[in-house]
Amino acid sequence: MSGRLLRLACTAAMATGVLSAAAPAVAVPDPAPQGRPVAQLLTDLQRLYRDAERATETYNATADQLKKQKTEVTRLDANLAEARLSLNDNRAAAGRLARQQYQNSGEISSYVRLLLARDPQHALDEGHVIGQLARQRVETVKRLAGTEKRADGLAREARKALDGQLGLAERQKRERDEVRGRLRGAEELVASLSTDQLAELARLEKPGASTTQRELVTSGALSSARPPSRAGEEAVRYAVDQLGKPYEWGAVGPSSYDCSGLTSQAWDHAGRPIPRTSQEQWAQLPRVPLSKLRPGDLVIYFPKATHVALYVGDGLVVQAPRPGTKIKVSPLAANPLLGAVRPDPDGKPLRRYTPPSIGEGSKASVPSGVRGTVRSAAESPHPK
């Protein structure tokens, strides 16, 4: 969070269209906090944004499940349609056989024909043909029974899959309403603050992040001499190209993103698809210590892994912070760190790496003291 975020946060819900529907009741701070300590207001605001981001990532996970379920329903519907066509064909064939059998029911038996035939060999050949027809009838009836069984099974699967889709859609709606409620709570709190309180909030917030960042930098953990892999370089360049675009919860580009929407799309663009949400990225991707970070790695924040950013080197990350803000470059320790993961642990570091340039319009979001350090990273050959 930054002072700019606090001033823009009151437009969060309108910027993302979240005020168009009623939101469920959520616990929000006192809407008239003039007599409360500013430090407590900061804690409340940070909690509301964390809750909103947690709800957003839950919504994203359900949206991903719903997408997969819709694909499964489509597949089952196509298979069921094919099975029904086959069933109709088999029923038509069985009907033709039944009519033939009925029409031939009054004829003399093949055994008697053989006894009375002037040419027994001809009668035997005719009997062979009749036997083949009988076997075809049996096979047709078996196919009909099998097709009916398959069609019934597919119909049950399709019904179950559709029920699952409807259930996921309902859950997604509830989670969407929760996000809206959390964001409304944050908006109401910010709207109730004075200009002096907003300035005090920004002042209180800066020292903690700056101290943590300073400790990481002075420890040598955030070395700028560690190049990315080829895919990591592609992910970094994609993320940097998105600087200045707005945050929007649930968005995966190209005009807006939420935090994990940005990181997942960056790595998808690099040809290495990764899980959609920050929790899944933290749970499923290989962990990497902060002392071995390289550009392209993902930095995960907060105890429940509810926020993620993409490391670009020199102690900086590209992130989609929160509603009301734009994608920007921030110090790695701008939020409480949980850890880091590497989407391509098998990727070989590049021998030469030139960090992407951060445009002047985007530099405004880079904190003083670290501005331009991405560009100042070594451009000479790097060791493997």
Side-chain angles (χ1 to χ4, degrees), residues 266-285:
W267 274 98
D268 186 70
H269 178 80
R272 192 93 177 207
I274 62 173
R276 167 66 176 90
T277 70
S278 57
Q279 291 98 332
E280 290 172 324
Q281 291 168 7
W282 175 245
Q284 298 181 30
L285 298 179

PDB file of all heavy atoms in Angstrom, residues 266-285:
ATOM      1  N   ALA A 266       1.895 -13.818 -17.399  1.00  0.00           N
ATOM      2  CA  ALA A 266       3.300 -13.590 -17.768  1.00  0.00           C
ATOM      3  C   ALA A 266       3.983 -14.913 -18.090  1.00  0.00           C
ATOM      4  O   ALA A 266       4.693 -15.039 -19.100  1.00  0.00           O
ATOM      5  CB  ALA A 266       4.025 -12.866 -16.634  1.00  0.00           C
ATOM      6  N   TRP A 267       3.764 -15.914 -17.247  1.00  0.00           N
ATOM      7  CA  TRP A 267       4.397 -17.210 -17.483  1.00  0.00           C
ATOM      8  C   TRP A 267       3.705 -17.990 -18.587  1.00  0.00           C
ATOM      9  O   TRP A 267       4.341 -18.773 -19.301  1.00  0.00           O
ATOM     10  CB  TRP A 267       4.466 -18.006 -16.187  1.00  0.00           C
ATOM     11  CG  TRP A 267       5.697 -17.631 -15.417  1.00  0.00           C
ATOM     12  CD1 TRP A 267       5.796 -16.750 -14.391  1.00  0.00           C
ATOM     13  CD2 TRP A 267       7.022 -18.107 -15.668  1.00  0.00           C
ATOM     14  NE1 TRP A 267       7.104 -16.638 -13.975  1.00  0.00           N
ATOM     15  CE2 TRP A 267       7.875 -17.456 -14.743  1.00  0.00           C
ATOM     16  CE3 TRP A 267       7.572 -19.000 -16.576  1.00  0.00           C
ATOM     17  CZ2 TRP A 267       9.248 -17.700 -14.700  1.00  0.00           C
ATOM     18  CZ3 TRP A 267       8.948 -19.232 -16.542  1.00  0.00           C
ATOM     19  CH2 TRP A 267       9.767 -18.593 -15.612  1.00  0.00           C
ATOM     20  N   ASP A 268       2.416 -17.784 -18.770  1.00  0.00           N
ATOM     21  CA  ASP A 268       1.730 -18.407 -19.903  1.00  0.00           C
ATOM     22  C   ASP A 268       2.287 -17.855 -21.209  1.00  0.00           C
ATOM     23  O   ASP A 268       2.502 -18.602 -22.172  1.00  0.00           O
ATOM     24  CB  ASP A 268       0.225 -18.145 -19.800  1.00  0.00           C
ATOM     25  CG  ASP A 268      -0.561 -18.901 -20.871  1.00  0.00           C
ATOM     26  OD1 ASP A 268      -0.627 -20.141 -20.774  1.00  0.00           O
ATOM     27  OD2 ASP A 268      -1.098 -18.260 -21.779  1.00  0.00           O
ATOM     28  N   HIS A 269       2.538 -16.543 -21.240  1.00  0.00           N
ATOM     29  CA  HIS A 269       3.131 -15.910 -22.421  1.00  0.00           C
ATOM     30  C   HIS A 269       4.529 -16.470 -22.675  1.00  0.00           C
ATOM     31  O   HIS A 269       4.958 -16.563 -23.839  1.00  0.00           O
ATOM     32  CB  HIS A 269       3.197 -14.396 -22.213  1.00  0.00           C
ATOM     33  CG  HIS A 269       3.838 -13.643 -23.339  1.00  0.00           C
ATOM     34  ND1 HIS A 269       3.175 -13.330 -24.506  1.00  0.00           N
ATOM     35  CD2 HIS A 269       5.098 -13.154 -23.486  1.00  0.00           C
ATOM     36  CE1 HIS A 269       3.986 -12.679 -25.318  1.00  0.00           C
ATOM     37  NE2 HIS A 269       5.165 -12.553 -24.726  1.00  0.00           N
ATOM     38  N   ALA A 270       5.228 -16.852 -21.612  1.00  0.00           N
ATOM     39  CA  ALA A 270       6.574 -17.406 -21.752  1.00  0.00           C
ATOM     40  C   ALA A 270       6.559 -18.884 -22.144  1.00  0.00           C
ATOM     41  O   ALA A 270       7.619 -19.501 -22.282  1.00  0.00           O
ATOM     42  CB  ALA A 270       7.349 -17.227 -20.443  1.00  0.00           C
ATOM     43  N   GLY A 271       5.360 -19.449 -22.326  1.00  0.00           N
ATOM     44  CA  GLY A 271       5.258 -20.838 -22.738  1.00  0.00           C
ATOM     45  C   GLY A 271       5.322 -21.835 -21.605  1.00  0.00           C
ATOM     46  O   GLY A 271       5.556 -23.022 -21.825  1.00  0.00           O
ATOM     47  N   ARG A 272       5.098 -21.360 -20.376  1.00  0.00           N
ATOM     48  CA  ARG A 272       5.153 -22.240 -19.208  1.00  0.00           C
ATOM     49  C   ARG A 272       3.905 -21.996 -18.353  1.00  0.00           C
ATOM     50  O   ARG A 272       3.963 -21.267 -17.354  1.00  0.00           O
ATOM     51  CB  ARG A 272       6.409 -21.930 -18.394  1.00  0.00           C
ATOM     52  CG  ARG A 272       6.728 -22.950 -17.327  1.00  0.00           C
ATOM     53  CD  ARG A 272       7.679 -23.987 -17.865  1.00  0.00           C
ATOM     54  NE  ARG A 272       8.063 -24.935 -16.831  1.00  0.00           N
ATOM     55  CZ  ARG A 272       9.210 -25.607 -16.822  1.00  0.00           C
ATOM     56  NH1 ARG A 272      10.084 -25.430 -17.790  1.00  0.00           N
ATOM     57  NH2 ARG A 272       9.490 -26.473 -15.874  1.00  0.00           N
ATOM     58  N   PRO A 273       2.760 -22.553 -18.712  1.00  0.00           N
ATOM     59  CA  PRO A 273       1.532 -22.309 -17.935  1.00  0.00           C
ATOM     60  C   PRO A 273       1.698 -22.714 -16.475  1.00  0.00           C
ATOM     61  O   PRO A 273       2.309 -23.743 -16.159  1.00  0.00           O
ATOM     62  CB  PRO A 273       0.497 -23.193 -18.632  1.00  0.00           C
ATOM     63  CG  PRO A 273       1.019 -23.360 -20.017  1.00  0.00           C
ATOM     64  CD  PRO A 273       2.515 -23.423 -19.875  1.00  0.00           C
ATOM     65  N   ILE A 274       1.160 -21.890 -15.581  1.00  0.00           N
ATOM     66  CA  ILE A 274       1.229 -22.152 -14.142  1.00  0.00           C
ATOM     67  C   ILE A 274      -0.174 -22.014 -13.561  1.00  0.00           C
ATOM     68  O   ILE A 274      -1.078 -21.510 -14.224  1.00  0.00           O
ATOM     69  CB  ILE A 274       2.206 -21.180 -13.436  1.00  0.00           C
ATOM     70  CG1 ILE A 274       1.723 -19.729 -13.595  1.00  0.00           C
ATOM     71  CG2 ILE A 274       3.619 -21.340 -13.966  1.00  0.00           C
ATOM     72  CD1 ILE A 274       2.536 -18.717 -12.786  1.00  0.00           C
ATOM     73  N   PRO A 275      -0.396 -22.459 -12.309  1.00  0.00           N
ATOM     74  CA  PRO A 275      -1.728 -22.324 -11.705  1.00  0.00           C
ATOM     75  C   PRO A 275      -2.213 -20.880 -11.696  1.00  0.00           C
ATOM     76  O   PRO A 275      -1.418 -19.937 -11.706  1.00  0.00           O
ATOM     77  CB  PRO A 275      -1.512 -22.862 -10.285  1.00  0.00           C
ATOM     78  CG  PRO A 275      -0.361 -23.792 -10.400  1.00  0.00           C
ATOM     79  CD  PRO A 275       0.535 -23.185 -11.432  1.00  0.00           C
ATOM     80  N   ARG A 276      -3.524 -20.703 -11.641  1.00  0.00           N
ATOM     81  CA  ARG A 276      -4.140 -19.380 -11.763  1.00  0.00           C
ATOM     82  C   ARG A 276      -3.990 -18.531 -10.519  1.00  0.00           C
ATOM     83  O   ARG A 276      -3.773 -17.318 -10.612  1.00  0.00           O
ATOM     84  CB  ARG A 276      -5.637 -19.570 -12.108  1.00  0.00           C
ATOM     85  CG  ARG A 276      -6.498 -18.305 -11.968  1.00  0.00           C
ATOM     86  CD  ARG A 276      -6.105 -17.248 -12.967  1.00  0.00           C
ATOM     87  NE  ARG A 276      -6.982 -16.100 -12.895  1.00  0.00           N
ATOM     88  CZ  ARG A 276      -6.779 -15.037 -12.112  1.00  0.00           C
ATOM     89  NH1 ARG A 276      -5.711 -14.987 -11.321  1.00  0.00           N
ATOM     90  NH2 ARG A 276      -7.619 -14.030 -12.119  1.00  0.00           N
ATOM     91  N   THR A 277      -4.123 -19.107  -9.323  1.00  0.00           N
ATOM     92  CA  THR A 277      -4.179 -18.299  -8.105  1.00  0.00           C
ATOM     93  C   THR A 277      -2.869 -18.306  -7.329  1.00  0.00           C
ATOM     94  O   THR A 277      -2.036 -19.205  -7.498  1.00  0.00           O
ATOM     95  CB  THR A 277      -5.300 -18.799  -7.175  1.00  0.00           C
ATOM     96  OG1 THR A 277      -4.933 -20.080  -6.637  1.00  0.00           O
ATOM     97  CG2 THR A 277      -6.625 -18.932  -7.924  1.00  0.00           C
ATOM     98  N   SER A 278      -2.699 -17.309  -6.472  1.00  0.00           N
ATOM     99  CA  SER A 278      -1.475 -17.217  -5.675  1.00  0.00           C
ATOM    100  C   SER A 278      -1.337 -18.398  -4.718  1.00  0.00           C
ATOM    101  O   SER A 278      -0.229 -18.900  -4.494  1.00  0.00           O
ATOM    102  CB  SER A 278      -1.456 -15.898  -4.887  1.00  0.00           C
ATOM    103  OG  SER A 278      -2.601 -15.788  -4.054  1.00  0.00           O
ATOM    104  N   GLN A 279      -2.473 -18.873  -4.150  1.00  0.00           N
ATOM    105  CA  GLN A 279      -2.401 -20.025  -3.255  1.00  0.00           C
ATOM    106  C   GLN A 279      -1.947 -21.274  -3.998  1.00  0.00           C
ATOM    107  O   GLN A 279      -1.120 -22.046  -3.499  1.00  0.00           O
ATOM    108  CB  GLN A 279      -3.758 -20.295  -2.585  1.00  0.00           C
ATOM    109  CG  GLN A 279      -4.177 -19.247  -1.582  1.00  0.00           C
ATOM    110  CD  GLN A 279      -5.151 -18.247  -2.190  1.00  0.00           C
ATOM    111  OE1 GLN A 279      -5.135 -17.999  -3.392  1.00  0.00           O
ATOM    112  NE2 GLN A 279      -6.003 -17.657  -1.366  1.00  0.00           N
ATOM    113  N   GLU A 280      -2.470 -21.473  -5.207  1.00  0.00           N
ATOM    114  CA  GLU A 280      -2.062 -22.646  -5.990  1.00  0.00           C
ATOM    115  C   GLU A 280      -0.617 -22.512  -6.461  1.00  0.00           C
ATOM    116  O   GLU A 280       0.115 -23.498  -6.512  1.00  0.00           O
ATOM    117  CB  GLU A 280      -2.989 -22.794  -7.200  1.00  0.00           C
ATOM    118  CG  GLU A 280      -4.403 -23.207  -6.833  1.00  0.00           C
ATOM    119  CD  GLU A 280      -5.335 -23.166  -8.029  1.00  0.00           C
ATOM    120  OE1 GLU A 280      -5.169 -22.263  -8.887  1.00  0.00           O
ATOM    121  OE2 GLU A 280      -6.217 -24.024  -8.110  1.00  0.00           O
ATOM    122  N   GLN A 281      -0.202 -21.306  -6.797  1.00  0.00           N
ATOM    123  CA  GLN A 281       1.190 -21.092  -7.195  1.00  0.00           C
ATOM    124  C   GLN A 281       2.133 -21.419  -6.038  1.00  0.00           C
ATOM    125  O   GLN A 281       3.165 -22.064  -6.228  1.00  0.00           O
ATOM    126  CB  GLN A 281       1.374 -19.647  -7.664  1.00  0.00           C
ATOM    127  CG  GLN A 281       0.655 -19.353  -8.976  1.00  0.00           C
ATOM    128  CD  GLN A 281       0.574 -17.875  -9.311  1.00  0.00           C
ATOM    129  OE1 GLN A 281       1.180 -17.032  -8.629  1.00  0.00           O
ATOM    130  NE2 GLN A 281      -0.176 -17.529 -10.352  1.00  0.00           N
ATOM    131  N   TRP A 282       1.759 -21.001  -4.838  1.00  0.00           N
ATOM    132  CA  TRP A 282       2.573 -21.285  -3.654  1.00  0.00           C
ATOM    133  C   TRP A 282       2.572 -22.781  -3.330  1.00  0.00           C
ATOM    134  O   TRP A 282       3.601 -23.346  -2.951  1.00  0.00           O
ATOM    135  CB  TRP A 282       2.056 -20.486  -2.468  1.00  0.00           C
ATOM    136  CG  TRP A 282       2.727 -20.762  -1.158  1.00  0.00           C
ATOM    137  CD1 TRP A 282       2.156 -21.309  -0.050  1.00  0.00           C
ATOM    138  CD2 TRP A 282       4.081 -20.476  -0.797  1.00  0.00           C
ATOM    139  NE1 TRP A 282       3.059 -21.396   0.974  1.00  0.00           N
ATOM    140  CE2 TRP A 282       4.262 -20.883   0.548  1.00  0.00           C
ATOM    141  CE3 TRP A 282       5.172 -19.933  -1.471  1.00  0.00           C
ATOM    142  CZ2 TRP A 282       5.476 -20.766   1.222  1.00  0.00           C
ATOM    143  CZ3 TRP A 282       6.387 -19.805  -0.801  1.00  0.00           C
ATOM    144  CH2 TRP A 282       6.531 -20.222   0.519  1.00  0.00           C
ATOM    145  N   ALA A 283       1.436 -23.433  -3.498  1.00  0.00           N
ATOM    146  CA  ALA A 283       1.309 -24.839  -3.119  1.00  0.00           C
ATOM    147  C   ALA A 283       1.923 -25.789  -4.150  1.00  0.00           C
ATOM    148  O   ALA A 283       2.448 -26.844  -3.778  1.00  0.00           O
ATOM    149  CB  ALA A 283      -0.168 -25.187  -2.909  1.00  0.00           C
ATOM    150  N   GLN A 284       1.879 -25.423  -5.430  1.00  0.00           N
ATOM    151  CA  GLN A 284       2.240 -26.384  -6.473  1.00  0.00           C
ATOM    152  C   GLN A 284       3.600 -26.143  -7.117  1.00  0.00           C
ATOM    153  O   GLN A 284       4.173 -27.068  -7.703  1.00  0.00           O
ATOM    154  CB  GLN A 284       1.164 -26.378  -7.563  1.00  0.00           C
ATOM    155  CG  GLN A 284      -0.211 -26.812  -7.074  1.00  0.00           C
ATOM    156  CD  GLN A 284      -1.240 -26.823  -8.189  1.00  0.00           C
ATOM    157  OE1 GLN A 284      -0.914 -27.049  -9.357  1.00  0.00           O
ATOM    158  NE2 GLN A 284      -2.497 -26.565  -7.844  1.00  0.00           N
ATOM    159  N   LEU A 285       4.129 -24.917  -7.058  1.00  0.00           N
ATOM    160  CA  LEU A 285       5.399 -24.636  -7.720  1.00  0.00           C
ATOM    161  C   LEU A 285       6.568 -24.847  -6.757  1.00  0.00           C
ATOM    162  O   LEU A 285       6.426 -24.668  -5.542  1.00  0.00           O
ATOM    163  CB  LEU A 285       5.409 -23.203  -8.249  1.00  0.00           C
ATOM    164  CG  LEU A 285       4.336 -22.882  -9.301  1.00  0.00           C
ATOM    165  CD1 LEU A 285       4.431 -21.420  -9.720  1.00  0.00           C
ATOM    166  CD2 LEU A 285       4.483 -23.787 -10.513  1.00  0.00           C
TER     167      LEU A 285
END
